[in-house]
């Protein structure tokens, strides 16, 4: 390796910790120069440019990683790095079938001697060169069968200048409000410290304020817990009523074709989220925000980890500034599809499994998935895989191993030597958990089959004492759109600690916060009686 390349590698760790507008401009500058050098071809120049690009926020991308790897394969002294990166691309990124063949062929050619022929180009199938990430399941029929939506795909190109113009620097609230008026004339909007919220679903000012507070707190949690790097401009969140509205706005905003089963997606190039959120329950937005912000420094996150952690927070509790996943509807999915459940080892080894299903691949070219898609074997397998990812993340969280596993895969994923990337990922999990993978799977099954722990009950001290006048749902937030934790029997006593738009806040025995409707509460008058004199 040349002295210049060695110096570049040595200074990579000094990448800045904030995604500023200057960094975004540098990223665009590096991409244009690297694209030109790679096509010329001038592989040493492309390698230097792309190595710097990869260390910038949102710099880990399939196409640029492929350019970096194939450049390294043609430079003496760094071919081993190129081969390892190609392995990781095959493992971690969503690629079209043709692109997978191209990457596999390049991996075969990346040996001791430089590959003489110039490489072909690839396409990241799920984002088609841009980055749209969507949920993949919804409840389809009377039997509540989970159905796989087809992957988001690009239907028309987007002008980079248009996307760049949507990035409003933090602090310029007037410009953010002007962008909202331009994108959605007449729609209610709110500018918070970090977000521009736009409602297409009739949210009132109180709803948007509640969602905004939740999102601001959640971003702070992601920064502290997962070291994500928020951008130096407002994150835009557009709230719609349902999957059909997501489909329409995806096409309008980003030139993306989405299934009406998709209830949310994130788009990196203008740091935005579109989500079906008809109430003030923001779980879908938390899910998509993880997808979006994790790509600030872990764009090559394997799907089992990406989808597992993102779905963990779609139903979550909060203690102070810390969010944690709770039980949710995916337990029922996993129980229903248990015969198709992948083991923990199979889950971790699975290359971007959304594209393992040939029916899903064919559905990309269709306006809507076939009506009987939910009856197909692959649809059930997909549902089991996604539910397993979520519950394995919940298992790791309860073992206090989730963040260490995440950090190990993020920071040491490429250090796999001669070991294939999937086996290296398994080895990292074994190292952190401290058990062989088969034992981890057995422990997971035993944990999952145990009855979920009972929901802590509301405290009766520390607030105004009330009693429930009917069976009353205890929820994670102030609205019927929030997850139901349990149902309190009529006559349950609890201490009310706060009020929010017709809902009463209570504190549970474990210190977490929950909410009940004020309509079914009655104050309890506490009367102190004197004992009779002796």
């Amino acid at each position: 390796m040349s002295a210049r390349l060695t110096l570049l590698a040595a200074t990579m760790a000094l990448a800045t910790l904030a995604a500023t507008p200057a960094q975004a401009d540098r990223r665009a500058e590096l991409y244009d120069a690297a694209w030109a050098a790679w096509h010329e071809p001038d592989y040493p120049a492309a390698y230097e440019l792309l190595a710097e690009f990869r260390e910038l926020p949102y710099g880990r991308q399939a196409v640029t990683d492929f350019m970096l790897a194939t450049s390294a394969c043609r430079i003496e002294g760094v071919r081993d790095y190129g081969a390892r990166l190609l392995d990781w691309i095959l493992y971690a990124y969503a690629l079209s079938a043709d692109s997978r063949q191209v990457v596999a062929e390049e991996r075969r050619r990346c040996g001791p001697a430089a590959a003489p022929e110039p490489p072909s180009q690839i396409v990241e199938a799920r984002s088609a060169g841009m980055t749209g990430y969507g949920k993949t399941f919804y409840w389809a029929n009377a039997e509540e069968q989970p159905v796989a939506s087809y992957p988001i795909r690009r239907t028309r190109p987007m002008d980079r200048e248009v996307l760049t113009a949507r990035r409003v620097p933090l602090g310029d609230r007037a410009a953010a409000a002007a962008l909202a008026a331009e994108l959605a004339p007449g729609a209610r909007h709110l500018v918070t410290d970090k977000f521009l919220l736009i409602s297409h679903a009739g949210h009132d000012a109180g709803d948007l304020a509640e969602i905004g507070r939740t999102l601001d707190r959640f971003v702070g949690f992601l920064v502290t817990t997962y070291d994500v790097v928020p951008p130096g401009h407002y994150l835009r969140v557009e709230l719609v009523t349902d999957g059909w509205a997501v489909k329409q706005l995806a096409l309008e905003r980003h030139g993306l074709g989405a299934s009406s089963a998709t209830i949310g997606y994130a788009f990196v190039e203008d740091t935005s989220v579109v989500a079906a959120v008809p109430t003030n329950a923001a779980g879908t937005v938390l899910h998509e925000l993880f997808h979006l912000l994790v790509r600030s420094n872990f764009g090559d996150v394997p799907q089992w980890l990406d989808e597992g952690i993102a779905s963990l927070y779609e139903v979550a509790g909060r203690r102070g500034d810390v969010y944690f996943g709770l039980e949710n509807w995916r337990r029922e999915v996993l129980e229903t599809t248990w015969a198709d459940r992948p083991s923990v080892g199979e889950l971790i080894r699975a290359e971007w499994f959304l594209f393992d299903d040939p029916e899903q691949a064919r559905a990309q070219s269709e306006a809507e998935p076939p009506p009987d898609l939910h009856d197909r074997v692959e649809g059930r397998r997909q549902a089991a895989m996604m539910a397993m990812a979520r519950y394995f993340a919940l298992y790791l969280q309860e073992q206090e191993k989730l963040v260490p596993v995440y950090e190990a895969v993020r920071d040491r994923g490429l250090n796999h030597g001669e070991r294939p990337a999937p086996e290296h990922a398994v080895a990292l999990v074994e190292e952190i958990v401290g058990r062989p993978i088969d034992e981890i799977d057995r422990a997971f099954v035993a944990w999952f089959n145990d009855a979920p722990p009972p929901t802590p009950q509301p405290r009766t001290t520390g607030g105004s004492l009330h009693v429930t006048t009917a069976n009353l749902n205890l929820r994670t937030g102030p609205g019927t759109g929030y997850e139901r934790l349990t149902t309190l029997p009529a006559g349950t006593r609890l201490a009310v600690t706060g009020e929010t738009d017709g809902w009463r806040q209570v504190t549970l025995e474990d210190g977490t916060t929950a909410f009940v409707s004020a309509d079914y509460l009655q104050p309890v008058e506490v009367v102190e009686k004197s004992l009779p004199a002796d």
Side-chain angles (χ1 to χ4, degrees), residues 208-277:
L208 287 184
E210 178 64 26
I211 293 171
R213 285 191 291 270
T214 297
L215 299 187
D216 280 338
R217 283 194 299 260
F218 187 65
V219 169
F221 164 73
L222 293 181
V223 170
T224 301
T225 305
Y226 296 104
D227 299 321
V228 305
V229 185
H233 48 269
Y234 289 103
L235 293 158
R236 192 177 78 256
V237 176
E238 300 200 50
L239 309 171
V240 299
T241 53
D242 54 29
W244 287 101
V246 171
K247 174 185 174 73
Q248 181 178 355
L249 201 57
L251 184 62
E252 177 184 337
R253 285 283 183 269
H254 301 119
L256 297 175
S259 164
S260 59
T262 301
I263 59 174
Y265 72 90
F267 198 81
V268 168
E269 294 303 321
D270 63 351
T271 51
S272 64
V273 169
V274 173
V277 182

Side-chain angles (χ1 to χ4, degrees), residues 115-179:
E117 302 88 354
S120 302
Q121 296 182 28
I122 66 167
V123 172
E124 189 179 5
R126 200 170 191 186
S127 64
M130 300 195 179
T131 317
Y133 299 90
K135 291 186 179 180
T136 53
F137 300 107
Y138 72 115
W139 298 105
N141 52 30
E143 290 75 36
E144 292 191 327
Q145 170 68 42
V147 177
S149 72
Y150 57 72
I152 291 175
R153 67 214 187 276
R154 186 171 69 175
T155 60
R156 59 181 170 83
M158 292 293 295
D159 189 329
R160 181 192 292 173
E161 292 183 0
V162 171
L163 298 174
T164 301
R166 296 176 184 169
R167 300 200 296 252
V168 178
L170 291 175
D172 195 344
R173 291 175 175 255
L179 176 63

